[in-house]
Amino acid sequence: MASSVAPLALSASAAAIRENPKRIGVGKRGGNLFFKGKAFGRVSLAVAVNVSRFESVTMAPPDPILGVSEAFKADTSDVKLNLGVGAYRTEELQPYVLNVVRKAENLMLERGENKEYLPIEGLAAFNKVTADLLFGANNPVIQQGRVATVQSLSGTGSLRLAAAFIQRYFPDAKVLISSPTWGNHKNIFNDARVPWSEYRYYDPRTVGLDFDGMLADIKAAPDGSFVLLHGCAHNPTGIDPTPEQWNKIADVIQEKNHIPFFDVAYQGFASGSLDTDAYSVRLFVERGLELLVAQSYSKNLGLYAERIGAINVVCSSSDAAARVKSQLKRLARPMYSNPPVHGARIVANVVGDPTLFNEWKQEMELMAGRIKNVRQRLFDYLSQKDKSGKDWSFILKQIGMFSFTGLNKAQSDHMTNKWRVYMTKDGRISLAGLSLSNCEYLADAIMDSFHNVS
Amino acid sequence: MASRAAIYRGMMWKGRSWAIGSRSMSSWWSNVEPAPKDPILGVTEAYLADPSPHKVNVGVGAYRDDNGKPVVLECVREAERRIAGNLNMEYLPMGGSIKMIEESLKLAYGEDSEFIKDKRIAAVQSLSGTGACRLFADFQKRFLPDSQIYIPLPTWANHHNIWRDARVPQQTFRYYHPESRGLDFASLMEDFKNAPNGSFFLLHACAHNPTGVDPSEEQWREISHLFKVKNHFPFFDMAYQGFASGDPERDAKAIRIFLEDGHLIGCAQSYAKNMGLYGQRVGCLSLLCEDEMQAVAVKSQLQQIARPMYSNPPLHGAHIVSIILSDPDLKSLWLKEVKVMADRIIGMRKALRENLEKLGSPLSWEHITNQIGMFCYSGMTPDQVDRLTNEFHIYMTRNGRISMAGVTTGNVAYLANAIHEVTKST
C-alpha cells in the first residue's frame, strides 16, 4: 500500500538529508530532486523529500503496430519501405487528404460554425448519415428506429464503448475473436475486463480461411457469446468469407444464440463500393439478429487523426434502442464527456451533400483501385521471379489494405533487418504503403525471407 | 421484467410459429434500464425544449457573450484559417501532439520551468479535462491499485463518475462552507490531516466547480505545507486557467506554490473554456516525475492506457492550440480575448449582486463577487431552483449552481428578480 511504504522511505531520506544534505535521495534512480526545488529554504528539514509514487512504473513495450512507424522514421537508410501501419499512401507514398475533405473543411470555415460541446452521443447529423451509410437508409431497422448510434472515437473508441457495455450488462459473456486479429482488439477487451477467446480463422497452409475451424470454434463456444467479425477486409489477413460462407456463419450464430459484433473499419475501401462492403452486416440484419457494429472513417475518408466513428447497436425494438443508447452515453461521459466535433462535421457534410458524396465515392474507388493494382504488380513479380512453384495467388484473393504474407516472425524480422522493409511481426504488410515502383524490391525481399530464413 | 417480456412476446406472437433459437423479436437488452439524465447536460436539453421567450440558460458551463451567443475566439478562427484544407490527417503519436504538449506544459508549469528543461514531466494529450482525469484515474488504478482518491465536497459531478468507472474507491473532504458560501478552511485542513499519509487528493487549481470558491494564496501555502508533512499526492484539475482571473499566470498560482515546495504533482488541463474549444476535446495530462527516465516510463504507460480507449487523440483542436500558443501575435491575441471573457463574467457578478441588493433582498449576496470563475454557488435549495425553472424558465443545476457565463446585461435584472422572488421569504 502506498501509504505504508511512503513513510519508511520518507524517514530514511529525511535522516539521510540531515546527515549529509548533499546526498542523493532514496529511490532507484537517485536524482537529487529535493535540492532542485527553488524554495528549499522554506521547508524544514524535518519534512522529507517526495519520492515518486510511481517508482515501480516500468517502461511499456512499444506498440507492435504504431511502434513500427516510429522505428521506420528512425531508420536512416536510403532504401526503406514502411509497410507497417494501415494508413493510405499515394503512389508517391505521400499521405492523402481527400479532396472532398478539403472542400468540406473550407465550407465549414466559411460557415464559421461554433465549437460548442456536442451532446454525449455526438453530432446528430453525423449519427444519422453514418447509420444510413452502414445499413442503407431504407433498411427497416432504421425506419423503425431500432438502431442505437453513438458517435465515438473512431473504431477503437467504438469498440471500447461496446466492450464497456458488454462488461456492464453481460458480465459473464465472452467475446470470440479471430486468430489472428488486429492487435488492439485484445488490449481493448482486456482493459474493459471482458474475457475473450479465439476462433480459428487463418489457415497458413492455404494462406486462406480455415472455414471449418472457424465454424467449429464458434459452435463450441457457450451460447450467447459475442462473436467479433470483421465486416470486410479482415485485418491483418485480408481474407474475407465469401457470401455463401457468411450465410453459414450467420446460421451457426443464430443456432447458438450468439451476438454478432462487427468491426467495420474499411467500408468502401475494400472493394471500392460502400454497399458491397456492407454486405455481411446487412445480411445479418436481414436475418433479424440483434447485433453491434463499430465503424471508422479513418481509412475510407482519410480522417485518421480526427478520430471519427460510431458504435451502432441494432435492437429488436425502438424502446430497447433508446435504453441502450442512454447507457452507452453513461459509459462515455466518464471517459471523455462528449466526442470531438471536427471529424463528425466533415463526415456529415460529405455524406449529406449529393455532389460531395459522389465525389467521395470516386475518390474511394481510386484508393481501392490503387491497392488492387499494387497487389497485381506484386503478384506478377513474385510469380515471375519465384521458380519454386509456390502459389502466390493469395495476394490477389485477399482484399483491403493488408496482406498476410505467410512470413513468420523470424522472416518478418529479416525483412526489416536486411531489406529495411518495416512490417508487423505477424507477417502483415500494408499495401497502402507500397508503390508500383517498389513492388519489385518488395518481391525480392519476400522471396529472400521466405526461402532463405526459417 | 421477465414477465413483461413474456407478455409482450405472447401478445405479438400468438399463433405464430416461433423458430427455435430465433431471437428476432425478444431482446438481449431487456435488462438494460434507461440511464438517468446527466444532471448537467440534461439541463441544456430541457432549456432547448422550452418555448418561452424569457428563458435563461445558466446551466452548463460554456461561455456566452453579452448577447447570449457562443463565442469562437478570433485567435482560434485565425489558426483554423491557417490549417483548413491543408494539413494531412495522419495519426498523431499515441501521446498526442508534441508541440501542443510542450506549449501546455509551459502554460501550467511556467515558461522557464526547470522541470520542462530537465524533461521530468510525463505528459500526454488528452480528451480535454475529462479525458485527462480518466487517464490519470486508470493509471492510478493500474499502478497503485490500493490507493483511493479524495474528492472535494462538492465537486463537478463527473469527477465521481470518472474515478468510479476507473474503479478507484472515493472519499470526500470538506470544502464548502454553506453559511458563509465560502471555504470551510478549518474542516478542509482537518480532513487533510486525518487522511492516512500518502493519500491522493483531487484539487481544483482555480475557479472551483461548482462553488467558485478558491483558497487564498496564503491558504494554498498552508495546504501545500501540510501536504508535505502528510506526503499527500496533489492532483490538480485545471479547467479554467486564464478564465478565472483573466491572467493565466495568476490562475496557475496554486500549482506553482506546490511546485516550489517540491511536490511531484499531477495536472489535468483543458482548453474547453479558456480557448473556447469545447467540442474539440483538447487537453493535457501531466505528471511530474523524479527524473527524465521515470517520465519516459510513465508516459509510455499512459499511452498504453490510451491505446485501447481511442488509440490516439484527435488532431484538429490540438493543432489550433499549438498554432496559437507558439505564435507570439496569436498568443498575445488569445491573452487579450481570455481577459475579455473573464472580465465580462466579473462584470456580471457585480451586476447580479447589485441588482439583488437594490431589490432589497434580506440575504447577503457578497459571495457572488467573492467567488471566482464561471460558476456561482448561489446557496439556493433544489426547491427554489425548481421554482426558478417552473415559474421563471430559468435553467440551472439543482445544486444551486449558476453559470455566470449565461448571464447578460439583457437578462441580469430578470434573473435577479426571479432569484429574489424565490428567496425573499427565506
Side-chain angles (χ1 to χ4, degrees), chain A residues 361-378:
Chain A
K361 288 196 267 198
Q362 284 165 18
E363 285 192 275
M364 220 162 14
E365 269 177 46
L366 276 172
M367 292 194 288
R370 189 181 99 63
I371 306 260
K372 285 189 196 138
N373 289 342
V374 154
R375 282 186 182 274
Q376 187 67 52
R377 182 69 62 93
L378 180 62

Side-chain angles (χ1 to χ4, degrees), chain A residues 156 160 184 187-188 191, chain B residues 303-311:
Chain A
T156 306
R160 180 57 178 268
N184 206 24
N187 298 335
I188 292 169
D191 275 25
Chain B
Q303 288 175 183
Q304 199 84 320
I305 294 173
R307 172 59 158 157
M309 240 196 245
Y310 49 83
S311 280

Side-chain angles (χ1 to χ4, degrees), chain A residues 116, chain B residues 60 62-66 68-71 278 344 405-408:
Chain A
E116 296 302 288
Chain B
V60 76
Y63 181 79
R64 296 284 177 270
D65 63 14
D66 201 43
K69 295 275 174 285
V71 170
Y278 308 93
R344 193 183 92 65
V407 182
T408 66

Side-chain angles (χ1 to χ4, degrees), chain A residues 137-188:
Chain A
N138 295 321
N139 196 308
V141 298
I142 302 239
Q143 305 282 323
Q144 294 159 18
R146 287 166 44 203
V147 185
T149 300
V150 169
Q151 177 190 337
S152 349
L153 291 149
S154 204
T156 306
S158 309
L159 289 160
R160 180 57 178 268
L161 262 192
F165 181 79
I166 292 171
Q167 198 282 328
R168 187 167 282 184
Y169 289 95
F170 299 88
D172 302 321
K174 221 171 21 165
V175 175
L176 309 176
I177 61 182
S178 65
S179 173
T181 193
W182 178 48
N184 206 24
H185 280 145
K186 292 178 187 169
N187 298 335
I188 292 169

